[in-house]
Amino acid sequence: SEAIKYCAVLFSFIFFVHAGVRTLRGKRIFTTPGTILFAVWLFLGASALHCFYYASAQKYAVITASETSVRSGISPGATELFLLHAGTRVRVEEIREGYIKIFFSQGKMGWVSAEDAGII
């Protein structure tokens, strides 16, 4: 994801330098090299936008266990903050090491086991 972003910026720079030099010399921009640079830049830019959208899109989960503890950290021994019951819809903030960081109503946040929730 980071590599795609950096490559998109690099090819953007290369394409616009190429276009600027060709324009200053009074030549066409979209010759074979210009077309290839443009196509690569377009592909990488679209890929970077897709990665950005996927990373920033809100994801939701539903609690699938009959009852699960929402904890303060990503371990079974972390402090239990509150309980959620099956069917509760929560917003996913982060996924790490078999746990899902969730946001529940009124600012309640915590970690639940990934086994106890299904991402929708």
Side-chain angles (χ1 to χ4, degrees):
S1 175
E2 289 295 314
I4 290 174
K5 290 183 217 173
Y6 290 124
C7 286
V9 170
L10 176 67
F11 270 89
S12 175
F13 176 76
I14 291 170
F15 173 73
F16 285 109
V17 166
H18 169 78
V21 168
R22 298 287 293 184
T23 300
L24 289 175
R25 291 185 178 170
K27 296 183 180 180
R28 290 182 27 208
I29 296 170
F30 288 103
T31 57
T32 301
T35 304
I36 291 170
L37 283 173
F38 181 73
V40 171
W41 171 66
L42 199 62
F43 174 75
L44 288 172
S47 297
L49 281 173
H50 175 71
C51 289
F52 173 77
Y53 174 76
Y54 183 76
S56 65
Q58 289 188 356
K59 298 175 198 131
Y60 292 92
V62 173
I63 303 301
T64 55
S66 60
E67 185 175 84
T68 188
S69 296
V70 180
R71 302 193 175 273
S72 62
I74 58 171
S75 71
T79 305
E80 184 179 293
L81 302 174
F82 54 96
L83 293 173
L84 290 177
H85 300 281
T88 305
R89 184 174 174 232
V90 294
R91 190 173 77 219
V92 175
E93 296 290 321
E94 183 180 347
I95 301 171
R96 186 179 353 154
E97 300 175 27
Y99 285 86
I100 302 172
K101 184 176 184 180
I102 57 118
F103 177 82
F104 191 55
S105 67
Q106 301 171 351
K108 293 182 179 181
M109 294 180 79
W111 295 86
V112 296
S113 172
E115 297 172 354
D116 294 343
I119 296 178
I120 54 173

